[in-house]
Amino acid sequence: MPERSAASNPSRRLRVLTWHVHGNYLYYLSQAPHDFYLLTLPGNPPGHAGRVGTLPWGDNVREAPADQLARMEFDCVLYQSRAAFEEDRLQLLTPAQRALPALYLEHDPPQQHPTNTRHWASDVEGVHLVHCTPFNALMWDSGEAPVSVVEHGIKLPEGVKHVGDQAEGLVVVNNLRKRGRRLGLDVFEQVRARVPLALVGMDAVSVGGLGEVPNLELPGFMARYRFFFNPIRYTSLGLSVLEAMGIGMPVVALATTELPSVIVNGVNGYADTRIDRLVEVMHELLRDPALARRWGDAAQRTVHERFGIERFAADWDRVLREVVEARAST
């Protein structure tokens, strides 16, 4: 009897070829009930890393060395970067692997023109675009490509809860100096001159920050700070923002991209485009720990209701199976 299709057989695990682009996202993605194979190159360079880092990878996350790729079988390919799509797809995958059901997970809003940028994967027939926020899906020109939105889901270490006994705000941004205005370097520096703020992330020391904190340690590290400040002008919805909210930490942020749909002012945090107003709110939180606690409790409920890992894993299960089934039916 022939094997039933992936969509009609919910117990059948899919073999998904993908890339290690964003460690935390990949870890959350691996909570979906499928097997993920990471395309690797010798030395695990960026974009081709495997099961590296401190995250607790499960047995369903495996490596697919480039020199063995031709002998491996997959059910679909999940691209996560332009280099993987435009270079690896043509140089490393076999013709049969290039013909597999294909999805492209876009992690960011368009970096060139915010409304008139055509997504490079949208003109390749058969590619299903997946955006991680409704804002991103709205801003990209996806052409005639099929589009899904899978909002973030997070899984936090058990037992971590916001305390907020340290009267200081925390900013978490990687490579802030190099990424400049888009990630809010100037905003961070303006606010830091008026409010006590700590910065962690890759290369944070170069702008007076504390340095990098390992992924698994970050929630516990964040817990003592009074509030989380997100100075970023233009990016996707940051996982660190949701992780802060998930431990019960209030967030103060620029009201840009997807954040206005997540933060309700005076309920679970505060978002505004006026820096002076954000500074006022930060001072309120520093003076009133009880206010920070109320907002943080509401923030935790927001994450539980909208960004739970179970919903996220179920959404990815559905999208992957639908894309594989659609190809099988044609």
Side-chain angles (χ1 to χ4, degrees):
M1 178 181 295
E3 185 179 43
R4 289 189 294 163
S5 69
S8 61
N9 181 7
S11 65
R12 183 186 160 218
R13 300 175 67 89
L14 297 176
R15 299 160 297 181
V16 183
L17 175 64
T18 191
W19 285 253
H20 185 154
V21 172
H22 187 307
N24 276 25
Y25 191 98
L26 180 62
Y27 171 63
Y28 297 145
L29 176 64
S30 71
Q31 306 308 303
H34 300 292
D35 297 318
F36 296 91
Y37 293 80
L38 311 180
L39 199 159
T40 63
L41 291 174
N44 297 120
H48 298 91
R51 290 168 52 95
V52 298
T54 59
L55 289 165
W57 305 112
D59 293 339
N60 66 326
V61 179
R62 306 169 188 178
E63 295 189 353
D67 60 359
Q68 300 177 28
L69 200 62
R71 300 190 296 274
M72 303 180 75
E73 294 186 355
F74 309 101
D75 295 294
C76 62
V77 183
L78 174 60
Y79 301 97
Q80 299 192 53
S81 72
R82 189 166 189 171
F85 189 74
E86 295 185 340
E87 298 172 19
D88 290 359
R89 178 172 63 93
L90 302 177
Q91 298 171 10
L92 300 179
L93 273 62
T94 67
Q97 290 166 345
R98 290 197 294 271
L100 289 170
L103 305 92
Y104 190 110
L105 168 60
E106 178 53 64
H107 287 276
D108 293 302
Q111 300 296 299
Q112 288 76 43
H113 194 284
T115 64
N116 296 351
T117 302
R118 180 75 164 225
H119 199 283
W120 46 85
S122 65
D123 293 323
V124 177
E125 185 176 358
V127 177
H128 189 109
L129 285 174
V130 182
H131 293 290
C132 56
T133 71
F135 177 88
N136 293 0
L138 174 70
M139 301 306 282
W140 278 104
D141 178 357
S142 298
E144 300 302 316
V147 172
S148 294
V149 175
V150 177
E151 292 201 280
H152 288 320
I154 63 170
K155 182 180 181 181
L156 295 169
E158 293 185 9
V160 179
K161 175 66 178 173
H162 182 240
V163 179
D165 58 343
Q166 190 163 320
E168 190 174 4
L170 181 67
V171 176
V172 180
V173 181
N174 286 326
N175 299 308
L176 181 56
R177 180 180 61 84
K178 181 173 69 175
R179 297 161 83 184
R181 276 182 58 85
R182 185 171 69 85
L183 274 290
L185 173 61
D186 60 313
V187 175
F188 167 71
E189 290 177 334
Q190 287 180 57
V191 174
R192 181 171 57 174
R194 302 165 64 184
V195 179
L197 287 179
L199 169 71
V200 298
M202 298 176 185
D203 194 39
V205 174
S206 69
V207 288
L210 301 177
E212 188 174 1
V213 177
N215 294 13
L216 291 178
E217 297 176 18
L218 184 58
F221 180 87
M222 293 192 294
R224 295 197 61 187
Y225 289 84
R226 184 67 50 81
F227 62 85
F228 185 103
F229 175 47
N230 187 59
I232 299 175
R233 281 186 173 88
Y234 190 70
T235 189
S236 194
L237 180 58
L239 287 173
S240 61
V241 173
L242 298 181
E243 289 161 354
M245 295 176 70
I247 65 169
M249 192 173 189
V251 170
V252 180
L254 293 180
T256 58
T257 63
E258 192 65 34
L259 273 173
S261 80
V262 176
I263 294 178
V264 180
N265 285 353
V267 176
N268 64 359
Y270 204 95
D272 206 303
T273 53
R274 298 168 295 178
I275 293 176
D276 286 347
R277 178 57 186 142
L278 295 179
V279 168
E280 291 173 0
V281 170
M282 293 181 206
H283 284 146
E284 291 177 26
L285 292 170
L286 292 176
R287 288 192 302 267
D288 190 349
L291 176 66
R293 189 158 48 250
R294 288 197 301 273
W295 288 8
D297 289 344
Q300 191 170 45
R301 289 193 295 271
T302 298
V303 166
H304 177 75
E305 293 166 2
R306 181 171 170 183
F307 300 103
I309 194 65
E310 293 81 8
R311 189 273 309 155
F312 176 77
D315 283 356
W316 265 112
D317 180 40
R318 173 182 51 79
V319 170
L320 289 167
R321 290 185 186 280
E322 286 179 352
V323 170
V324 170
E325 174 68 9
R327 176 64 63 85
S329 66
T330 59

